[in-house]
């Protein structure tokens, strides 16, 4: 390997109170929360839109509610409110969501289905950021950090306008990959314990026809009705179960890592069909990623061919949307002051410094939170070890795979974003390090901003 020494360069400095790195699932909420708390807030997002994996990979937003339907006698509770719910409310106003529709079959997995229109989500989230006066920098990447001992002084941002230094008091890493934490020297590992995925939107199909196909073959496992193309009581979620003899569609689909769960907000459209692939190394390995991108593109086309071939009435299916690049379920796992364990989750553990509560587990009904209840996500679970002014949120926290299968889900990431964004702003405005922030002050602000803390 040959090397080249890059020459040092003078770059312009921009000053903010708070910088949020990554405008995805958690980052959008973190930036709105920070700006509304009164901090001059910059949001740095590498793509030309906001939303992250919510608009690129997922099928429905899990979950704003507890799993009440699986536990007869347990009260239905909306356990995530605040800014995440505001996004859904705004989407409802423009026909961009099914709403929180009650699952009619498969409700021991999630009692509701909240599906979204991916394109409206991008627009609505950008407009909400604008309304909150967040300084949004799109097509801009976090590429380095300027440290002052254990404190981040600024980050290096790269765009077609060149390299710039963004100085601030507090920083929140919402990049999913943990890029900012890694630049800042935080301790991390790369478990590579999930498949990566790409998802496609498929048109020229009929969810009713998919329903008839699964029903006829006794293979229906999830069923939900909600708002679709402006009409209530339409099918919005279906999933398939294994049957004997195996359905050729499911068997061939499994070979290309195809998920069979379908959600939709619009007629004649499957919003997400996911294709999975386990990587050799890690999603931060460029060469591995390049190879996997090709395989996933091939799988996408194969998936459409399977839909055309096996689902009667879907012979003219075609791809209308693909993820711009592969979607990860976990990149770097960042060391934080507290690590949420599986015991915490299944025992519905509560903490004295909670920023949110949550009631969904992706392995339900096999792993569930006790009695359809909720567990708390403590403030210290977001504090990046040994760094004084940096928070980590979303898929980069929680070590144990089975615990991560809960905390990594969209609505959890969004709630974490509100907690971290509010805390970062309070620290910046009061000149505090993240560990000096009085919890009573943070809690007061979260409750004022309609965060549900389990009372
Ligand atoms: C295929 C797939 C399907 C899923 N299905 C579901 C589901 O159905 N329901 C559910 O609830 N959850 C689902 N999940 C989990 C959930 O969607 C994710 O865990 C969650 O959205 C992650 O949120 P995040 O904020 O941590 O990261 P992201 O939403 O990925 O946000 C990270 C953002 O940071 C940006 N970024 C990255 N690096 C940089 C950089 N250096 N500089 C600037 N910007 C940067 C990215 O462009 C992105 O916008 C799924 C995940 C995957 C991968």
């Amino acid at each position: 390997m040959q090397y080249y020494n890059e020459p040092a360069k003078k770059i312009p400095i921009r000053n903010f109170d708070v910088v949020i790195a990554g405008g995805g699932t958690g980052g959008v909420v973190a930036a709105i929360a920070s700006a509304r708390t009164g901090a001059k807030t910059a949001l740095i997002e590498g793509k030309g839109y906001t939303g992250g994996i919510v608009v690129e990979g997922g099928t429905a937003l899990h979950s704003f509610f507890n799993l009440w339907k699986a536990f007869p006698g347990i009260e239905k509770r909306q356990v995530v409110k605040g800014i995440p719910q505001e996004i859904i409310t705004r989407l409802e106003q423009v026909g961009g969501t099914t709403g929180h529709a009650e699952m009619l079959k498969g409700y021991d997995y999630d009692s509701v289905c909240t599906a979204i229109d991916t394109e409206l989500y991008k627009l609505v989230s950008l407009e909400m950021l604008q309304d909150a006066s967040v300084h949004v920098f799109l097509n801009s990447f976090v590429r380095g950090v300027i440290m002052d001992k254990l404190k981040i002084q600024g980050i290096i941002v790269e765009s077609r306008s060149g390299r710039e230094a963004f100085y601030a008091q507090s920083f929140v890493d919402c990049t999913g990959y943990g890029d900012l934490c890694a630049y800042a020297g935080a301790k991390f590992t790369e478990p590579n314990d999930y498949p990566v995925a790409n998802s496609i939107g498929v048109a020229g199909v009929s969810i009713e026809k998919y329903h008839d196909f699964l029903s006829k073959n006794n293979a229906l496992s999830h069923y939900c009705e909600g708002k679709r193309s402006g009409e209530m009581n339409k099918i919005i979620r279906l999933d398939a179960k294994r049957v004997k003899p195996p359905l050729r569609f499911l068997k061939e689909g499994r070979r290309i890592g195809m998920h069979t769960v379908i959600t939709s907000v619009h007629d004649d459209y499957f919003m997400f069909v996911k294709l999975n692939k386990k990587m050799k190394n890690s999603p931060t390995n460029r060469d591995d990623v390049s190879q996997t991108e090709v395989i996933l593109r091939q799988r996408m086309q194969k998936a459409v061919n399977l839909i055309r071939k096996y689902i009667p009435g879907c012979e003219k299916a075609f791809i209308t949307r693909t993820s711009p690049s592969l979607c990860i379920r976990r990149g770097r796992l960042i060391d934080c002051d507290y690590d949420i364990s599986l015991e915490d989750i299944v025992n519905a553990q509560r903490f004295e410094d909670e920023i949110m509560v949550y009631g969904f587990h992706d392995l339900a009904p096999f792993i569930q939170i006790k009695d359809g209840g909720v567990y708390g996500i403590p403030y210290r679970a977001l504090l990046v070890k040994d760094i004084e002014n940096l928070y980590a949120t979303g898929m980069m926290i929680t070590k144990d795979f089975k615990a991560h299968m809960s905390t990594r889900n969209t609505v959890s990431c969004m709630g974490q974003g509100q907690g971290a964004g509010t805390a970062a702003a309070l620290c910046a405005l009061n000149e505090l390090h993240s560990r000096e922030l009085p919890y009573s002050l943070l809690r007061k602000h979260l409750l004022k901003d309609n965060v549900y803390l389990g009372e």
Side-chain angles (χ1 to χ4, degrees):
M1 179 77 81
Q2 288 184 312
Y3 290 93
Y4 165 72
N5 276 329
E6 274 190 274
K9 214 172 139 189
K10 195 156 95 178
I11 60 172
I13 296 173
R14 309 184 70 135
N15 288 294
F16 295 92
D17 296 321
V18 173
V19 171
I20 312 290
T25 315
V28 163
V29 181
I32 294 171
S34 168
R36 285 188 187 170
T37 307
K40 184 181 175 193
T41 304
L43 176 68
I44 317 294
E45 168 53 46
K47 292 178 183 137
Y49 57 85
T50 45
I53 308 260
V54 162
V55 298
E56 293 168 2
T59 43
L61 276 61
H62 299 302
S63 179
F64 285 86
F65 287 79
N66 65 329
L67 194 63
W68 86 95
K69 286 193 90 167
F71 294 85
I74 292 292
E75 185 197 355
K76 172 181 179 179
R77 278 195 288 165
Q78 180 163 358
V79 301
V80 179
K81 298 181 182 173
I83 297 167
Q85 175 54 44
E86 275 182 54
I87 297 177
I88 299 300
T89 306
R90 290 273 290 248
L91 281 169
E92 265 168 353
Q93 289 159 3
V94 291
T97 174
T98 56
H100 302 306
E102 264 189 45
M103 292 285 289
L104 300 173
K105 202 174 169 71
Y107 49 73
D108 50 359
Y109 170 68
D110 192 345
S111 295
V112 291
C113 172
T114 312
I116 50 121
D117 176 309
T118 56
E119 304 315 304
L120 283 169
Y121 196 102
K122 292 173 190 174
L123 179 62
V124 160
S125 55
L126 281 168
E127 286 177 347
M128 286 180 71
L129 287 159
Q130 222 170 33
D131 293 350
S133 302
V134 174
H135 300 255
V136 179
F137 300 88
L138 297 175
N139 301 304
S140 302
F141 287 91
V142 176
R143 288 293 184 238
V145 43
I146 304 155
M147 293 299 291
D148 177 10
K149 300 191 184 101
L150 297 178
K151 208 170 163 213
I152 301 178
Q153 192 178 2
I155 60 169
I156 307 292
V157 174
E158 240 175 39
S159 69
R160 288 186 189 89
S161 298
R163 274 165 80 83
E164 295 162 292
F166 280 53
Y167 280 20
Q169 302 304 312
S170 303
F171 296 82
V172 186
D173 188 344
C174 296
T175 61
Y177 285 84
D179 283 359
L180 174 51
C181 291
Y183 287 128
K187 288 193 199 91
F188 65 84
T189 53
E190 294 189 54
N192 192 29
D193 48 359
Y194 286 92
V196 295
N198 207 325
S199 94
I200 50 179
V202 183
V205 289
S206 153
I207 204 162
E208 276 76 19
K209 297 271 163 52
Y210 186 46
H211 171 261
D212 294 348
F213 169 74
L214 293 179
S215 297
K216 202 177 101 204
N217 289 289
N218 214 9
L220 187 65
S221 67
H222 284 192
Y223 182 83
C224 186
E225 291 179 1
K227 197 170 189 183
R228 202 186 75 202
S229 288
E231 272 183 79
M232 294 304 292
N233 305 323
K234 306 292 270 186
I235 303 174
I236 54 142
R237 182 184 178 96
L238 298 174
D239 198 3
K241 61 180 179 199
R242 290 184 191 204
V243 283
K244 278 189 183 160
L247 273 183
R248 295 281 305 265
F249 173 67
L250 301 184
K251 209 170 144 189
E252 290 183 34
R254 269 200 301 280
R255 280 196 210 121
I256 54 167
M258 184 169 88
H259 271 204
T260 46
V261 56
I262 300 291
T263 57
S264 198
V265 180
H266 300 293
D267 293 346
D268 309 324
Y269 188 47
F270 295 168
M271 191 70 75
F272 289 102
V273 178
K274 286 181 258 186
L275 290 315
N276 291 296
K277 165 98 177 66
K278 188 81 175 63
M279 293 181 67
K280 271 193 232 122
N281 299 299
S282 144
T284 60
N285 180 304
R286 183 203 52 201
D287 297 340
D288 203 355
V289 168
S290 300
Q291 282 172 11
T292 308
E293 295 273 17
V294 179
I295 295 167
L296 284 173
R297 297 256 152 215
Q298 289 165 336
R299 289 186 172 191
M300 292 180 212
Q301 207 51 56
K302 285 180 186 162
V304 174
N305 290 341
L306 288 184
I307 291 169
R308 286 186 192 140
K309 182 172 163 190
Y310 286 109
I311 306 176
C314 298
E315 293 81 6
K316 293 188 176 168
F318 62 98
I319 298 176
T320 52
R321 177 196 60 78
T322 68
S323 315
S325 53
L326 59 80
C327 301
I328 61 164
R329 292 180 168 87
R330 161 127 84 176
R332 296 187 186 90
L333 162 65
I334 308 300
D335 258 24
C336 290
D337 284 7
Y338 186 81
D339 182 44
I340 299 166
S341 69
L342 183 62
E343 288 69 40
D344 290 339
I345 292 172
V346 295
N347 294 329
Q349 184 66 46
R350 304 295 304 271
F351 299 90
E352 68 281 5
D353 60 341
E354 287 168 353
I355 49 115
M356 67 179 290
V357 298
Y358 192 55
F360 174 78
H361 199 293
D362 213 4
L363 294 174
F366 308 107
I367 298 181
Q368 289 172 325
I369 296 140
K370 194 167 113 192
D371 300 333
V374 292
Y375 65 93
I377 297 199
Y379 175 62
R380 64 207 130 109
L382 311 181
L383 298 179
V384 177
K385 235 182 208 155
D386 301 330
I387 301 181
E388 291 174 352
N389 58 345
L390 176 60
Y391 298 88
T393 69
M395 67 169 104
M396 66 188 88
I397 68 160
T398 314
K399 205 170 280 172
D400 181 88
F401 175 79
K402 288 183 180 160
H404 190 253
M405 283 292 274
S406 175
T407 64
R408 76 180 179 102
N409 286 282
T410 48
V411 182
S412 164
C413 295
M414 293 164 97
Q416 292 172 43
Q418 181 155 4
T422 307
L426 290 173
C427 285
L429 297 173
N430 295 290
E431 295 182 18
L432 298 170
H433 293 168
S434 56
R435 288 170 188 81
E436 293 171 342
L437 178 66
Y439 175 65
S440 55
L441 180 64
L442 175 58
R443 185 179 175 89
K444 194 176 90 186
H445 276 264
L446 292 175
L447 289 172
K448 174 180 73 59
D449 295 336
N450 212 20
V451 171
Y452 177 77
L453 289 172
E455 270 81 53

